[in-house]
Amino acid sequence: MELAYYSDYAVRLVNSEEPARGKDSLTSVEAVRDLFGGNQQAARRATDADLTRFRSVRARLRAVFEAADKGEETLAVDLLNSLLLEFPVSPQISGHDFRDEDGRPLWHMHLADHPSNATAGYAAIAAMGLAFHLTEYGVDRLGLCEATPCRNAYLDTSTNRSRRYCSDRCATRANVAAYRARKRLEAERPDRTERSESTGRAAESAQRTSASGER
């Protein structure tokens, strides 16, 4: 398992809530377990008590993305460091579940967590994954979707640092909205031109009338 994979843990947890839309999918133990994806052994540790703890970690992870989105680099790092200190992991070399054609292990780095509960394990992996992404690509690669009112978190891995939306759906919606706004503006321009010309003609007529009266 590559270390980059772990950063998705943070994105999945943050995006389980959409504050601007008033949506929160983290409402049950099953929803907590779904966040673990294929890591079912860790998911089975989740209990009702983890629901509140997961929401707390989610708020702290979103704060990291919000600080990065605002360009507050030091704050983003400080917030992430506080999570790393509270939820530590032990990097280990692992070969489980990966075999080459000869049946030999494909060695890779693995983050081994030793948690007291499911939240601690998930938070440790999410924070470490996000830390690797931040130090490898930069704080500005942590973003929040610009499509109103989405604001979902995303990790920018584009070559030119151009990503602005969390998904193709949001990008399409934003582009359609921008296109319609341009069309409305273009439709309004002829009316403005006509009103301007009409006002100009009225002013000229008034000036001629005034001049004629003076004579």
Side-chain angles (χ1 to χ4, degrees):
M1 186 180 293
E2 297 181 359
L3 293 176
Y5 168 84
Y6 292 112
S7 57
D8 290 335
Y9 274 59
V11 174
R12 286 203 298 271
L13 178 53
V14 171
N15 292 346
S16 66
E17 179 185 29
E18 298 181 69
R21 291 190 172 109
K23 294 182 178 180
D24 187 350
S25 63
L26 201 57
T27 57
S28 66
V29 177
E30 288 71 23
V32 169
R33 290 171 179 162
D34 287 342
L35 289 171
F36 284 89
N39 192 353
Q40 290 304 302
Q41 182 177 353
R44 283 193 290 270
R45 292 198 298 257
T47 66
D48 290 333
D50 285 297
L51 193 55
T52 300
R53 291 194 289 253
F54 259 74
R55 287 174 175 170
S56 176
V57 172
R58 179 178 65 186
R60 294 171 66 181
L61 285 170
R62 175 170 280 278
V64 175
F65 279 92
E66 288 176 343
D69 187 63
K70 294 175 183 177
E72 298 175 351
E73 184 171 342
T74 301
L75 176 59
V77 171
D78 288 345
L79 291 171
L80 190 50
N81 271 336
S82 68
L83 284 164
L84 292 170
L85 287 172
E86 186 173 343
F87 304 105
V89 294
S90 304
Q92 293 180 357
I93 299 173
S94 175
H96 68 84
D97 299 333
F98 293 92
R99 298 282 173 173
D100 62 15
E101 294 179 353
D102 297 324
R104 295 175 302 185
L106 296 177
W107 301 114
H108 60 281
M109 289 302 297
H110 176 81
L111 297 182
D113 57 289
H114 309 284
S116 56
N117 54 66
T119 303
Y122 193 100
I125 291 173
M128 183 59 74
L130 202 56
F132 276 115
H133 190 94
L134 184 151
T135 53
E136 179 70 19
Y137 300 106
V139 176
D140 57 341
R141 294 298 189 116
L142 277 58
L144 292 174
C145 186
E146 293 184 13
T148 305
C150 181
R151 303 302 284 168
N152 272 352
Y154 65 84
L155 299 172
D156 185 1
T157 56
S158 63
T159 56
N160 57 357
R161 299 173 183 264
S162 60
R163 185 169 179 179
R164 298 167 56 200
Y165 306 104
C166 69
S167 65
D168 291 339
R169 184 183 67 175
C170 277
T172 299
R173 189 171 70 247
N175 289 334
V176 169
Y179 172 79
R180 289 174 177 171
R182 287 195 301 270
K183 287 299 182 182
R184 284 196 299 270
L185 184 61
E186 291 172 0
E188 292 172 357
R189 283 174 180 168
D191 294 339
R192 291 176 181 175
T193 301
E194 290 177 3
R195 287 196 297 270
S196 178
E197 291 177 350
S198 176
T199 301
R201 287 194 297 269
E204 290 176 1
S205 176
Q207 288 176 353
R208 285 197 297 269
T209 300
S210 176
S212 176
E214 291 176 356
R215 287 196 300 272

